[in-house]
Each structure stands twice: as C-alpha cells, then as structure tokens.
Amino acid sequence: TVRNMAITETQVRDKLKDGAMLAVDLIAESKLAASKGEARRKIEEGAFNFGPDRTKVTDVKATVAVTDGLVIRLGRKILRIK
C-alpha cells in the first residue's frame, strides 16, 4: 500500500542550510523512518530517492534541495512537501 503524506516546508525550515538539508535528517523529520539510524540504513540499501527523475541517494552525507512540491520516496512510502 502506498501512503501519500504531506508536510510543510516550515516543518523542516529550521534544519535547512541554503535551501537544502541532509537526506538522513529529511527522512527522519518527515517520519518516513522511525529514527536517523533507520534512515541511514535505508539510504545505504538504496531505498531512498527524490524528485521527478527519482534521483537515488546512496551516500548518507548527501544533501537534498528542499523546494515546494518536492516528492521524496522511501521504499513504498511517498511524501510531497507542500
């Protein structure tokens, strides 16, 4: 089952640096993973991607540019930032 969730950019704004944040922090803040440790494992497994072209992230230190309408995916879970 695919769940679509929505969070606002203001919920992650405190952690943004130049409009981007660490992928691990984004996953944990959006509650796609229960913890940062789980988020790291999912990234290493290749379960995380984002954007319309589904850019795959495999580096736990990678940053993601957070914009309005950004779609992030962790396995079957899908989230759109509004």
Side-chain angles (χ1 to χ4, degrees):
T1 303
V2 176
R3 295 183 330 169
N4 290 310
M5 299 179 284
I7 62 169
T8 61
E9 195 174 352
T10 55
Q11 289 173 294
V12 295
R13 194 176 307 275
D14 346 349
K15 299 208 180 225
L16 289 178
K17 291 182 183 172
D18 298 325
M21 70 187 302
L22 288 172
V24 170
D25 290 337
L26 181 60
I27 294 168
E29 287 295 316
S30 62
K31 307 289 189 228
L32 289 177
S35 65
K36 287 185 179 182
E38 182 183 349
R40 284 187 194 93
R41 285 190 295 278
K42 294 294 185 182
I43 289 172
E44 290 170 349
E45 292 169 4
F48 175 69
N49 64 66
F50 67 95
D53 56 350
R54 295 186 179 205
T55 305
K56 189 166 288 265
V57 176
T58 55
D59 179 14
V60 294
K61 295 182 180 178
T63 59
V64 176
V66 178
T67 58
D68 188 42
L70 176 70
V71 175
I72 58 176
R73 298 170 189 86
L74 186 68
R76 291 184 172 196
K77 298 177 184 175
I78 300 172
L79 179 136
R80 179 183 308 272
I81 296 179
K82 293 184 179 180

